[in-house]
Amino acid sequence: MVEGSQIDWAGHAHDAAWAMNDSKAFDEAVAAAIEFAKKDGNTLVVVAGDHETGGMSVGANGVYDVKTEVLHDVTATGDVMASKLSESRDNVQEVVKEHTGLDLSEDEVNRIVEAKDPAIAINEVVSDRALIGWTTSAHTGTDLPIYAYGPQAEAFSGLLDNTDIPKKMAKAMKIELNN
């Protein structure tokens, strides 16, 4: 079992770069599992999430595009950057430039300086630059996809209740559950 748990925290914090990095690491783990399953021929790989967080969307400020290249230069989370801010936050421009490569506008600097939570403000400025939007800092009710590869993968198609997933996995492994 592999858990990509950091994407949840990234969604709460509106940290698109952190979410992308965790997704990349998770994707690499899934690729390794599928490669093993292809060679083994007897391994079922199931990829499922428990919920979506943050309501990340492609497109921000009325522009439906994404600039992922903005996220490639981010070397720290918003929390790390916020922890490096002085008490007066007069070093916002320098801290954000060091960890993102971005030159902030005066409005962006003021947004971070005046924010109740500077970490989220930094993340939202970076997200805006990448044209990534957020709808909430909480969990959403979005249906999640489920992917399966290997023997009995067909049992994981269609719309499933999340409580059915472990039952289907137990059946695939020939494990009897006590209900």
Side-chain angles (χ1 to χ4, degrees):
M1 182 175 144
V2 175
E3 181 182 14
S5 66
Q6 295 302 298
I7 195 165
D8 181 57
W9 295 108
H12 285 298
H14 295 179
D15 196 326
W18 188 11
M20 293 299 122
N21 282 328
D22 196 52
S23 294
K24 182 177 184 263
F26 187 76
D27 185 59
E28 290 167 358
V30 170
I34 296 222
E35 187 62 34
F36 175 85
K38 284 179 180 177
K39 290 178 184 172
D40 176 65
N42 196 34
T43 298
L44 172 64
V45 178
V46 178
V47 179
D50 59 347
H51 61 270
E52 193 278 337
T53 305
M56 180 191 271
S57 62
V58 175
N61 303 321
V63 179
Y64 295 99
D65 196 357
V66 66
K67 294 182 178 180
T68 56
E69 64 275 6
V70 170
L71 306 178
H72 294 198
D73 294 329
V74 177
T75 61
T77 66
D79 285 336
V80 168
M81 287 185 264
S83 74
K84 293 183 175 189
L85 296 177
S86 64
E87 191 172 323
S88 65
R89 299 185 188 166
D90 62 349
N91 62 338
V92 165
Q93 183 72 262
E94 296 79 19
V95 169
V96 173
K97 173 81 172 177
E98 176 186 351
H99 294 289
T100 68
L102 298 174
D103 289 312
L104 300 181
S105 69
E106 187 177 330
D107 287 343
E108 291 168 327
V109 169
N110 289 336
R111 183 172 161 191
I112 295 165
V113 168
E114 295 168 7
K116 179 180 175 185
D117 186 335
I120 289 180
I122 291 167
N123 293 336
E124 289 177 348
V125 165
V126 173
S127 291
D128 287 349
R129 290 287 193 98
L131 300 177
I132 292 172
W134 300 92
T135 61
T136 182
S137 59
H139 298 162
T140 69
T142 301
D143 286 339
L144 299 177
I146 184 167
Y147 303 97
Y149 175 87
Q152 300 188 41
E154 65 280 354
F156 297 90
S157 65
L159 187 61
L160 302 174
D161 185 284
N162 64 344
T163 62
D164 290 335
I165 297 169
K167 295 172 190 169
K168 290 180 176 291
M169 291 175 80
K171 184 176 179 183
M173 295 185 296
K174 298 179 174 100
I175 297 172
E176 193 170 323
L177 297 177
N178 297 327
N179 292 334

